[in-house]
Structures are given as C-alpha cells and as structure tokens.
Amino acid sequence: MKEIIAVIRMNKTNDTKKALIKAGAAGFTAFKVMGRGKLVNDESIIMERKNRLLKLAGDEEADTEVLIDGFLTGERLFPRRLFTVLAKDEDVKGIVDAIIAANRTENNVGDGKIFVLPVMDAIRVRTGETGETAV
C-alpha cells in the first residue's frame, strides 16, 4: 500500500479530481497549500513569465511588478493544491500517470511534484478493518 502526494497548480484541481476518479482512486483528500519549487535559472523563461504576468495584471496595482519579482525570485510562495491518495501497490502507476496527464503543461516550469511513500497500515474507523481492505 502506498500514499501518493501530489502538489499541483490551483487551476488544475478539477482536471486532477476527474483524472483520479477515472483512474480508479478509492478516495483522496485535497488541501490548499502555499509553496514554491526549485528556482528557475533560465533568464529567458523568467522574463517571459514576468512579461506575461505584467500583461495579465494591467495597471491595476502600483506594486504589481514588485510582487511578480518576489514570485520569480522565490521570496514569495505560490498557492497550490496538495492531493493525498492511498492506493494499492498495483494501482500506483495508473494513478500517478493520470495525475501527470492532468497536470503537464507547456510552461516548462511549475507543473508540480508527485511523491510516493510506503504506508504501514490503514484503519477504517467505522468498521475497524485494517490494511488494504480499509482503503
């Protein structure tokens, strides 16, 4: 039995929920979280992102460029969604593949991370069942 933890973009939440259901995940939990990944060192990607974000923001706020620079330099955190899924060993690959398919973009950065961890036991509170039958 494994726990799959996926940290994804907020705008991919619905796609991920649908993908997990279609992949046969027994259930899952989602949390709103804040974080950042590895900083991008490619100046062309950084400038392209900055220009795109500035264009989206328009002239609404004077501090917009400062905020965007903070995101791009790692000083600020991005809102993300964290999914946690318990799965039987034989179901892990299908679930991970579904998460990847739902979240991969052409942005070259920020598509998320997936972690797969062993689970020692699970207990269904209602019935007391343990192990894979509790999942």
Side-chain angles (χ1 to χ4, degrees), residues 7 32 63 65 78-79 91 95 119:
V7 181
K32 289 181 182 178
D63 295 329
E65 189 164 359
F78 289 96
D91 296 335
I95 291 170
V119 173

Side-chain angles (χ1 to χ4, degrees), residues 10 29-33 80-84:
M10 291 293 284
T29 304
F31 305 91
K32 289 181 182 178
V33 295
R80 293 286 186 238
R81 186 73 72 174
L82 185 144
F83 279 83
T84 179

Side-chain angles (χ1 to χ4, degrees), residues 4-131:
I4 302 164
I5 300 171
V7 181
I8 64 161
R9 296 170 182 266
M10 291 293 284
N11 67 341
K12 293 293 190 169
T13 300
N14 286 333
D15 292 343
T16 302
K17 290 188 298 188
K18 291 174 187 174
L20 288 170
I21 292 167
K22 189 174 180 181
F28 48 87
T29 304
F31 305 91
K32 289 181 182 178
V33 295
M34 299 288 286
R36 70 163 187 84
K38 186 170 126 183
L39 290 177
V40 176
N41 293 323
D42 185 337
E43 195 64 35
S44 65
I45 291 175
I46 292 171
M47 288 309 297
E48 185 263 325
R49 292 282 175 268
K50 181 176 180 177
N51 291 334
R52 190 166 142 204
L53 290 169
L54 284 170
K55 210 179 277 186
L56 286 172
D59 294 330
E60 296 176 16
E61 190 176 322
D63 295 329
T64 301
E65 189 164 359
V66 173
L67 291 172
I68 291 171
D69 284 337
F71 280 123
L72 295 174
T73 61
E75 296 167 10
R76 294 191 168 268
L77 302 176
F78 289 96
R80 293 286 186 238
R81 186 73 72 174
L82 185 144
F83 279 83
T84 179
V85 183
L86 287 182
K88 296 177 181 175
D89 290 349
E90 61 268 16
D91 296 335
V92 170
K93 182 175 178 356
I95 291 170
V96 168
D97 289 346
I99 294 169
I100 290 170
N103 287 279
R104 183 173 282 157
T105 68
E106 300 300 320
N107 294 332
N108 297 321
V109 294
D111 288 348
K113 292 277 191 277
I114 301 171
F115 307 95
V116 179
L117 297 90
V119 173
M120 302 304 290
D121 202 1
I123 299 114
R124 180 170 291 152
V125 174
R126 180 176 47 83
T127 63
E129 293 170 289
T130 61

